[in-house]
């Protein structure tokens, strides 16, 4: 039988109706102490025994409840006798039934909907300075305090003070599933320190939001969290934000995403004394071992994000640094310190916050070296959560609807109307009649010609055979239906005639119309137009088209590139990637309207095509359409797997990471922006790339890292500022830090068969990186410095890992060798290009080198291959003309010259060379059919 005691005890608490008072209820629970008072007959004062303590959390009242009941455990204090009696209860935990009610809700429905609950958890500080663990006076104990100021209302702040830090020795890790603690533990029984149902969960370091997440940092953290001393708080504090406080929190994060968490180590509490009074009167109390960690709160402005957690480096406190990074001018701990001394009591946290730890030491005592935190690499684990996101996460359905509205595809061409289809059907039937008549004619007369005087007899014989074979009646019936459709749909005559004259007039009009259409149909069938008979059209594969499009884009032939992309889109109308790449071409030519249309078309085809979504967002942002940009970018962040680039572009601060971390962590932060910058450069979003580049410079503390210099060179190259790009590359190659941050090399093969870029992450120095030398070669080539370009290209090709744009490198290296008269080297270079990624330009280059080496047969074969891949290249036709002239094939030479002119041969030197050779051939063959003018027949 269970023992039970009925208390029937009621207590009334008066709660002020203001937000700070309500906030205190969230982290200051009601404690119920059970005492035993024996009934004695003696008049002496009875001895009271405290049996135990229970804790009632009032958080349900903050969520709109007017009443709740709970059964809570009753825990003993440290009294050994009482604790022993608890242990004698056969392992059963004493429980207390408690009911709580309020006369009316503490928050109205509107207030509850607009409010938010902010929770800050300070976990553990690791890798402590030696001075933290070795106090000068070993007889004195130390206390460890952390404090953070957060908004509570539109005009009032609250300081959250974590004052129960405990120094622990190293040797083992903190338990991963340990329980979180309440604040104000001094007045609670030991078992009541813990928050029921709240546990720390193990989380991979690379999934954290803070600093020290790189592979190198992970090794350091593993050692620190296993072997070194640490200070543990494991305490969670709550702050209730009203509507104004939630709005102010969002505004403050937007203005400065870095928020300070201050820490200090002090001696045991100081009682009120003359020394304390002296410190109380000081306007600027000294904070011993004053440090600060800057918590990046920016992710809380991402849609749907309610939690951040990570490790944050502790730095020596500096008011100047505090202002520069957070736009705050006062230390929270200094404000709290005066209140601690004034109170002289333990554990408290009010509207302006008060901690139990008091200031130890005298003013003027020797402060530890300011480098102690940097040398020890001290860091602290912090978690911040919100009950509701500051920026609500749009539902996938709503996002899909918005994106669909923004990317409504223009209606496809309506196609021919009924009238046009009627005429087309009539033309088709005319073609069928021609086929029937031609077949009957072939059966009767064969393909031989007949004398003119026999034509009438032939016509009669042909008509007779058509009727006998039944063909005449077949196509007459087919033509009848076509004529009826023309009369009804084209001539709009759907009603029967009531007047004979009207009928005759219509029939006459219809007859004239049909005769005209028959003439048009016959002209189409027997057209003598042979203008496009230059060469049999070769059906290129989609891989070849994509390869040729990118080649034309890289070589500056944007019109040809657009033609190839258009062909890809026509062949694959439901493939979003082709429209995306077409849009990139228009980004390069600064035709942002066409680029935007291409990206929108890609998204309308495939709403999960993340690159197109991101580019839609960027173009919208460039046009100041920020709501549209946010919709596109937020949609991009919802696609799996998560994208660092998409989240970075969605960053409300535009990626403004005023990172406070040390240089090692800057590399990690820089890598995020380096990846984003790489995406922007690859897709020719130069305006945004300039902004991202400035952020990368800020992260590197204004001292241009190697990554920054390389990205700057790439940007300057795209902007045609080649000499600035050369200067940046020269500085990168001579940079003192030749370890180079991790480069993400996008190997976008230009050979047929490669649809997607192959990504590889490699650690290289500048001088060992083929892409760096290739870029250096491109800059010199475009600046007209061909000797330096050739040297850089040759060096880039000497590495085991070839440059990612080796096709372009080989093309330009071959052209330089041609200009310098190094035909053998040019031939070898073009041969390599033809083997790796054949195109019209590689075969053209090989054909030119063979022609210059007097290898006419090989040259003609190479040029023929080039012509098969692109029969509209004027240079190919010009060199074929030269070969034919030198081979005494004058008719072919004349035809090829005509095509070279038709396709607008631009090279004046080549055109002059052709004309001079034509003159020579004409002089040696006076009867040449070339005519009096070399341009004849064009």
């Amino acid at each position: 039988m269970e023992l039970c005691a009925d208390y029937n005890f009621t207590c009334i608490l008066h709660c002020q109706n203001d937000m700070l008072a309500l906030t205190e209820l969230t982290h200051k629970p009601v404690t119920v102490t059970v005492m035993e008072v024996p009934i004695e007959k003696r008049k002496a004062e009875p001895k009271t025994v405290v049996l135990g303590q229970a804790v009632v959390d009032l958080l349900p009242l903050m969520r709109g409840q007017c009443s709740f009941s709970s059964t809570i455990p009753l825990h003993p204090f440290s009294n050994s006798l009482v604790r022993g009696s608890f242990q004698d209860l056969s392992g059963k935990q004493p429980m207390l039934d408690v009911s709580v009610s309020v006369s009316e809700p503490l928050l109205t429905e509107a207030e509850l909907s607009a409010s938010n609950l902010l929770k800050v958890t300070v976990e553990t500080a690791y890798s402590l300075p030696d001075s933290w663990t070795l106090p000068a006076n070993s007889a004195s104990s130390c206390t460890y305090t952390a404090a953070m100021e957060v908004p509570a209302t539109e005009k009032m702040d609250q300081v959250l003070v974590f004052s129960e830090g405990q120094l622990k020795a190293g040797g083992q890790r903190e338990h991963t599933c340990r329980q979180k603690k309440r604040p104000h533990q001094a007045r609670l029984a030991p078992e009541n320190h813990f928050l029921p149902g709240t546990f720390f969960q193990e989380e991979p370091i690379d999934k954290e939001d803070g600093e020290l997440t790189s592979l190198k940092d992970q090794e350091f953290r593993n050692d620190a969290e296993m072997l070194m001393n640490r200070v543990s708080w494991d305490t969670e504090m709550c702050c209730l934000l009203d509507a104004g406080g939630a709005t102010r929190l969002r505004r403050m994060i937007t203005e400065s995403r870095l928020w300070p968490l201050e820490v200090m180590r002090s001696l045991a509490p100081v009682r009120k004394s003359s020394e304390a009074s002296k410190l109380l009167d000081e306007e600027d109390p000294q904070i011993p071992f004053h440090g600060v960690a800057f918590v990046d709160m920016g992710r809380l402005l991402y849609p749907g994000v309610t939690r951040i957690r990570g490790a944050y480096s502790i730095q020596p406190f500096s008011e100047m640094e505090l202002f520069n990074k957070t736009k705050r001018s006062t230390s929270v701990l200094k404000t709290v310190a005066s209140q601690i001394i004034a109170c002289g009591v333990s554990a408290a946290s009010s509207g302006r916050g008060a901690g139990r730890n008091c200031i130890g030491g005298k003013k003027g005592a020797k402060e530890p070296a300011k480098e102690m935190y940097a040398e020890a690499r001290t860091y602290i684990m912090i978690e911040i959560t919100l009950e509701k996101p500051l920026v609500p996460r749009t539902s996938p359905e709503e996002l899909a609807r918005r994106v669909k509205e923004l990317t409504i595809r223009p209606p496809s061409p309506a196609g021919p109307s009924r009238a046009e289809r009627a005429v087309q059907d009539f033309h088709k039937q005319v073609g069928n009649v021609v086929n029937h008549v031609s077949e009957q004619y072939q059966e009767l007369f064969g393909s031989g010609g007949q004398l003119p005087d026999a034509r009438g007899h032939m016509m009669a014989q042909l008509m007779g055979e058509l009727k006998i074979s039944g063909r005449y009646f077949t196509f007459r019936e087919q033509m009848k239906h076509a004529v009826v459709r023309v009369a009804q749909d084209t001539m709009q005559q759907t009603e029967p005639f009531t007047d004979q004259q009207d009928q005759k007039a219509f029939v006459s009009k219809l007859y004239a119309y049909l005769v005209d259409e028959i003439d048009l149909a016959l002209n189409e069938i027997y057209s003598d137009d042979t203008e496009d008979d230059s060469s049999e059209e070769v059906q290129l594969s989609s891989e070849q088209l994509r390869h040729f499009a990118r080649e034309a884009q890289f070589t500056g032939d944007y019109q040809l590139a657009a033609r190839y992309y258009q062909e890809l889109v026509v062949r694959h109308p439901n493939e979003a990637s082709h429209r995306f790449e077409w849009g990139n071409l228009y980004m390069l030519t600064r035709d942002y309207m066409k680029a935007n249309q291409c990206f929108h078309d890609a998204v309308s085809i495939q709403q999960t095509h993340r690159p197109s979504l991101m580019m839609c967002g960027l173009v919208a942002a460039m046009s100041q359409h920020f709501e549209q940009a946010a919709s596109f970018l937020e949609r991009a962040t919802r696609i799996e797997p998560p994208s660092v680039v998409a989240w970075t572009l969605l960053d409300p601060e535009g990626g403004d990471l005023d990172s406070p971390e040390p240089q090692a962590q800057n590399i990690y932060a820089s890598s995020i922006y380096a990846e984003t910058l790489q995406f922007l450069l690859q897709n020719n979003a130069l305006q945004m790339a300039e902004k991202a580049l400035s952020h990368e410079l800020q992260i590197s503390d204004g001292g241009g890292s190697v990554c920054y210099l390389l990205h700057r060179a790439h940007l300057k190259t795209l902007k045609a500022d080649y000499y600035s790009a050369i200067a940046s590359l020269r500085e990168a190659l001579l940079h003192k830090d030749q370890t180079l941050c991790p480069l993400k090399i996008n190997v976008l093969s230009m050979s047929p068969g490669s649809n997607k870029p192959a990504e590889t992450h490699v650690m290289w120095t500048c001088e060992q990186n083929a892409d760096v030398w290739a870029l250096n070669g491109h800059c010199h080539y475009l600046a007209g410095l061909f000797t330096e370009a050739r040297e850089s290209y040759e060096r880039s090709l000497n590495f085991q890992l070839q440059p990612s744009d080796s096709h372009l490198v080989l093309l330009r290296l071959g052209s330089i060798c041609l200009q310098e008269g190094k035909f053998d080297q040019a031939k070898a270079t073009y041969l390599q290009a033809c083997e790796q990624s054949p195109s019209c330009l590689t075969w053209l280059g090989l054909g030119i080198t063979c022609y210059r080496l007097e290898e006419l047969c090989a040259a003609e074969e190479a040029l023929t291959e080039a012509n098969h891949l692109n029969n509209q290249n004027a240079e190919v036709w010009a060199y074929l003309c030269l070969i034919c002239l030198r081979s005494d094939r004058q008719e072919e030479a004349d035809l090829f010259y005509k095509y070279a002119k038709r396709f607008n041969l631009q090279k004046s030197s080549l055109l002059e060379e052709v004309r001079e050779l034509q003159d020579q051939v004409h002089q040696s063959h006076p009867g040449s059919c070339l005519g009096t003018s070399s341009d004849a027949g064009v």
Side-chain angles (χ1 to χ4, degrees):
M1 179 178 179
E2 294 186 358
L3 297 177
C4 180
D6 293 325
Y7 292 102
N8 195 23
F9 174 76
T10 302
C11 177
I12 298 176
L13 301 176
H14 295 281
C15 179
Q16 298 180 3
N17 189 21
D18 66 79
M19 193 55 59
L20 292 179
L22 294 178
T23 290
E24 287 204 9
L25 293 181
T26 63
H27 57 73
K28 279 189 175 180
V30 173
T31 58
V32 180
T33 304
V34 178
M35 297 177 292
E36 182 181 59
V37 182
I39 302 176
E40 298 183 5
K41 296 182 179 180
R42 300 178 183 178
K43 295 184 178 181
E45 184 176 345
K47 184 177 181 181
T48 302
V49 179
V50 177
L51 296 179
Q53 182 192 66
V55 175
V56 183
D57 286 309
L58 300 181
L59 200 57
L61 299 180
M62 304 300 110
R63 294 193 167 102
Q65 293 183 226
C66 289
S67 64
F68 67 91
S69 299
S70 60
T71 301
I72 52 180
L74 186 68
H75 293 295
F77 280 98
S78 57
N79 187 301
S80 59
L81 294 177
V82 175
R83 184 174 294 273
S85 64
F86 269 62
Q87 293 174 351
D88 293 338
L89 294 175
S90 302
K92 294 183 179 181
Q93 172 68 54
M95 306 297 289
L96 195 65
D97 292 331
V98 178
S99 296
V100 180
S101 63
V102 291
S103 57
E104 59 183 21
L106 299 182
L107 296 172
T108 65
E109 288 287 342
E111 290 173 336
L112 184 63
S113 175
S115 65
N116 208 334
L117 187 65
L118 173 68
K119 297 181 180 180
V120 179
T121 303
V122 176
E123 299 180 19
T124 308
Y126 294 99
S127 191
L128 305 175
D130 291 339
S131 53
W132 269 45
T133 58
L134 297 174
N137 183 2
S138 58
S140 301
S141 60
C142 295
T143 56
Y144 305 90
T145 305
M148 173 181 273
E149 186 176 54
V150 296
T153 66
E154 179 63 31
K155 297 181 179 180
M156 298 184 66
D157 293 326
Q158 173 164 352
V159 177
L160 304 179
V161 178
F162 302 82
S163 52
E164 285 93 3
Q166 298 177 5
L167 179 65
K168 294 183 179 181
Q172 63 179 2
R173 290 183 178 276
E174 295 290 301
H175 296 297
T176 54
C177 293
R178 64 193 186 278
Q179 206 164 358
K180 293 183 180 181
K181 298 178 182 178
R182 309 176 192 271
H184 323 297
Q185 299 160 17
R187 57 192 180 94
L188 301 177
E191 287 83 355
N192 285 332
H193 289 181
F194 300 98
L195 284 165
T198 59
F199 297 89
F200 292 100
Q201 300 297 327
E202 187 173 4
E203 187 173 11
I205 291 178
D206 57 0
K207 299 297 184 182
E208 294 177 358
D209 303 302
E211 308 161 12
L212 303 173
T213 57
S214 67
L215 291 176
K216 187 175 180 181
D217 291 327
Q218 288 183 34
E219 296 177 4
F220 160 71
R221 285 181 57 179
N222 286 332
D223 292 340
E225 293 170 19
M226 173 65 77
L227 304 175
M228 300 182 185
N229 295 347
R230 75 286 309 266
V231 169
S232 175
W233 287 270
D234 289 347
T235 301
E236 176 184 281
M237 293 190 71
C238 300
C239 179
L240 186 65
L241 311 178
D242 64 6
T247 302
R248 184 159 165 254
L249 175 63
R250 177 174 175 175
R251 185 175 67 248
M252 290 176 67
I253 297 176
T254 303
E255 293 171 354
S256 176
R257 61 188 296 160
L258 299 179
W259 285 41
L261 175 90
E262 298 181 38
V263 297
M264 72 174 185
R265 192 218 76 178
S266 58
L267 299 180
V270 177
R271 301 299 178 187
K272 278 192 174 182
S273 61
S274 59
E275 181 180 280
S277 300
K278 183 178 179 182
L279 287 173
L280 182 60
D281 294 335
E282 294 175 357
E283 295 181 358
D284 186 20
Q286 297 300 303
I287 306 295
F289 301 95
H290 196 178
V292 60
F294 293 98
V295 182
D296 185 354
M297 305 273 280
R299 274 189 56 81
L300 293 177
L301 293 186
Y302 291 168
V305 174
T306 58
R307 175 181 181 267
I308 58 172
R309 178 184 178 274
Y312 298 90
S313 300
I314 297 179
Q315 307 172 22
F317 180 85
S318 164
E319 289 188 351
M320 181 178 296
E321 190 80 0
L322 179 71
F323 181 78
N324 290 338
K325 291 182 175 178
T326 68
K327 307 299 185 272
R328 305 187 189 198
S329 57
T330 58
S331 164
V332 173
L333 276 179
K334 287 185 178 181
T335 305
V336 174
S338 61
Q339 295 184 20
I340 296 174
I341 299 172
C343 294
V345 295
S346 63
S349 178
S350 64
R352 288 296 301 172
R356 72 183 286 265
N357 298 328
C358 300
I359 302 303
K362 297 181 180 180
K363 184 179 179 180
K366 186 176 180 181
E367 284 286 333
K370 287 193 174 183
E371 293 79 13
M372 67 174 181
Y373 290 115
E375 291 175 356
R377 297 184 66 185
T378 307
Y379 64 93
I380 188 168
M381 298 296 301
I382 303 167
E383 179 186 41
I384 298 176
T385 60
L386 290 163
E387 192 172 58
K388 306 170 190 173
L390 294 177
V391 180
R393 185 169 186 171
T394 312
S395 67
E397 295 77 15
E398 175 62 17
L399 269 181
R401 184 192 65 78
R402 290 184 193 174
V403 171
K404 185 176 181 180
E405 287 181 356
L406 294 172
T407 58
I408 295 177
R409 297 182 68 180
S412 302
S417 62
R418 289 176 59 89
E420 292 171 332
R421 287 197 299 270
V423 174
Q424 290 175 358
D425 185 53
F426 180 75
H427 283 202
K428 180 180 179 181
Q429 297 306 325
V430 171
N432 290 337
V433 171
V434 171
N435 289 334
H436 287 306
V437 174
S438 298
E439 289 175 4
Q440 193 69 61
Y441 181 88
Q442 290 288 336
E443 292 175 6
L444 287 175
F445 309 113
S447 57
Q450 298 292 328
L451 296 175
D453 55 0
R455 184 171 299 170
H457 175 71
M458 292 171 61
M459 288 286 291
Q461 187 178 357
L462 177 62
M463 183 60 70
E465 289 296 327
L466 286 172
K467 291 180 179 181
I468 292 172
S469 66
R471 287 175 172 167
Y472 171 79
F473 301 103
T474 299
F475 66 65
R476 187 182 68 175
E477 289 302 315
Q478 292 174 347
M479 288 293 294
K480 184 187 297 183
H481 291 293
V483 170
V484 170
R485 287 191 60 191
V486 169
Q488 291 179 344
D489 296 338
T490 305
M491 308 295 289
Q492 300 294 309
Q493 184 61 47
T494 57
E495 301 293 334
F497 290 99
T498 57
D499 187 279
Q500 194 72 17
Q501 294 299 324
D502 291 342
Q503 182 178 359
K504 288 183 179 180
F506 175 76
V507 170
S508 177
K509 181 179 179 182
L510 176 62
Y511 176 78
Y513 181 82
L514 292 176
V515 169
D516 291 339
E517 291 300 324
I518 290 173
D519 289 340
L520 291 175
L522 293 175
N523 286 336
E524 291 176 2
I525 296 170
Y526 296 108
S527 175
D528 292 329
D529 184 12
T530 59
E531 195 166 303
D532 294 329
D533 64 350
S534 56
S535 177
E536 183 179 353
E537 185 74 21
V538 176
Q539 184 70 18
L540 300 174
S541 67
S542 297
E543 291 80 6
Q544 285 177 309
L545 285 172
R546 182 173 179 271
H547 171 49
F548 298 160
R550 293 187 62 79
E551 179 189 64
Q553 181 174 332
F554 288 149
T555 55
D557 194 346
Y558 303 132
Q559 186 174 359
L560 179 61
R563 197 182 83 197
Y564 283 129
Y565 283 129
Q566 186 175 18
E567 177 64 25
L568 280 169
V569 168
V570 170
R571 287 194 191 182
H572 307 283
N574 295 322
E575 178 56 55
S577 62
H578 298 323
R579 296 179 186 269
F580 171 73
E581 292 181 343
W582 195 3
N584 288 340
L585 171 66
Y586 287 125
M587 290 293 293
L588 183 61
T589 60
R590 312 292 195 275
D591 193 342
Y592 299 122
M593 290 185 63
K594 289 184 178 179
N596 192 43
Q597 186 60 54
C598 288
F599 297 138
H600 277 228
D601 288 347
V603 173
S604 67
I605 293 169
Q606 182 184 350
Q607 267 211 16
T608 57
H609 194 255
R610 181 155 48 201
S612 295
L613 284 166
M614 291 192 288
M615 290 306 297
C616 282
L618 289 173
V619 176
M622 290 165 58
S623 304
Q624 308 296 309
H625 299 148
F626 298 114
E627 290 186 5
Q628 293 183 18
S631 296
F632 284 119
L633 293 173
E634 185 177 353
R635 182 73 177 93
T637 61
R638 303 292 183 85
I639 301 171
E640 294 295 336
S643 167
V644 170
V645 176
W647 278 109
T648 306
L649 293 176
L650 184 60
D651 191 330
E653 285 279 270
D656 185 11
L657 265 183
D658 246 345
S659 182
E661 60 267 19
Q663 184 61 32
Q665 183 59 25
N666 281 354
I667 293 177
Y668 170 73
S670 179
S671 67
I672 295 176
Y673 281 90
E675 188 173 349
T676 305
L677 184 56
Q678 190 172 29
F679 173 83
L680 297 172
L681 292 173
Q682 285 179 343
N683 296 293
N684 305 307
L686 304 188
Q687 291 183 24
M688 296 297 180
E690 282 189 296
K691 189 174 182 180
L693 191 66
S694 66
H695 295 321
E696 190 174 16
L697 181 61
Q698 291 175 7
I699 291 174
S700 60
D701 295 327
S705 64
V706 174
C707 284
Y708 166 78
L709 293 170
L710 294 178
H711 287 139
R712 184 175 185 271
H714 192 179
L715 177 62
K716 293 296 182 181
T717 303
L718 292 174
K719 297 183 71 175
D721 188 357
Y722 305 123
Y723 287 98
S724 295
I726 290 171
S728 294
L729 286 169
R730 184 182 298 114
E731 189 176 349
L733 290 167
L734 297 175
H735 200 280
K736 61 181 180 180
D737 180 15
Q738 278 296 311
T739 56
L740 192 63
C741 62
L743 286 180
K744 184 178 178 182
I745 301 174
N746 284 318
V747 183
L748 183 52
S749 173
M750 296 184 62
S751 59
S754 65
N755 290 323
K756 297 180 180 179
E759 295 181 353
T760 176
H761 299 265
V762 190
M763 286 290 291
W764 296 102
T765 65
C766 263
E767 291 195 352
Q768 294 174 334
N769 191 282
D771 280 334
V772 174
W773 287 106
L775 181 58
N776 193 53
H778 294 328
C779 294
H780 283 89
Y781 179 89
L782 295 170
L785 306 172
F786 298 117
T787 301
E788 295 84 350
R790 176 174 52 78
E791 293 173 354
S792 294
Y793 285 145
E794 290 172 347
R795 188 161 184 173
S796 72
L797 294 171
N798 286 334
F799 293 104
Q800 182 178 1
L801 182 63
Q802 296 288 286
S804 56
D805 59 346
S806 59
H807 180 84
L808 185 61
V809 170
L810 291 170
L811 281 178
R812 287 178 171 171
L813 178 59
S815 69
I816 293 172
C817 294
L818 272 177
Q819 292 180 38
E820 295 178 345
K822 300 177 179 179
F823 301 129
D824 289 325
Q825 185 178 350
K827 181 179 178 181
T829 302
Y830 281 120
L831 269 174
Q832 183 180 351
C834 290
E835 291 172 356
Q836 290 183 1
S837 50
S839 69
C840 173
L841 295 185
T842 61
W843 287 113
L844 171 61
L846 182 59
I848 294 172
T849 55
C850 291
Y851 177 80
R852 299 304 177 195
L853 290 168
E854 300 295 329
E855 300 173 3
L856 298 186
C857 291
E860 187 171 5
E861 289 180 8
L863 291 168
T864 302
E865 289 292 334
N867 190 272
H868 278 303
L869 297 177
N870 182 7
N871 62 6
Q872 296 186 20
N873 188 295
E875 285 192 51
V876 173
W877 291 114
Y879 277 102
L880 284 172
C881 175
L882 289 173
I883 292 173
C884 290
L885 287 171
R886 296 187 61 178
S887 304
D888 199 21
R889 291 147 53 191
Q890 296 178 18
E891 290 186 7
E892 290 181 69
D894 182 37
L895 181 63
F896 294 160
Y897 179 70
K898 179 180 73 173
Y899 291 135
K901 292 286 290 182
R902 177 189 298 172
F903 296 124
N904 194 19
L905 181 61
Q906 294 290 326
K907 284 192 175 181
S908 56
S909 59
L910 180 56
L911 184 60
E912 187 62 29
E913 183 179 1
V914 172
R915 286 175 173 170
E916 288 178 0
L917 188 56
Q918 284 178 330
D919 292 340
Q920 294 175 14
V921 171
H922 181 67
Q923 291 174 5
S924 60
H925 300 281
S928 172
C929 63
L930 286 176
T932 58
S933 170
S934 61
D935 291 344
V938 178

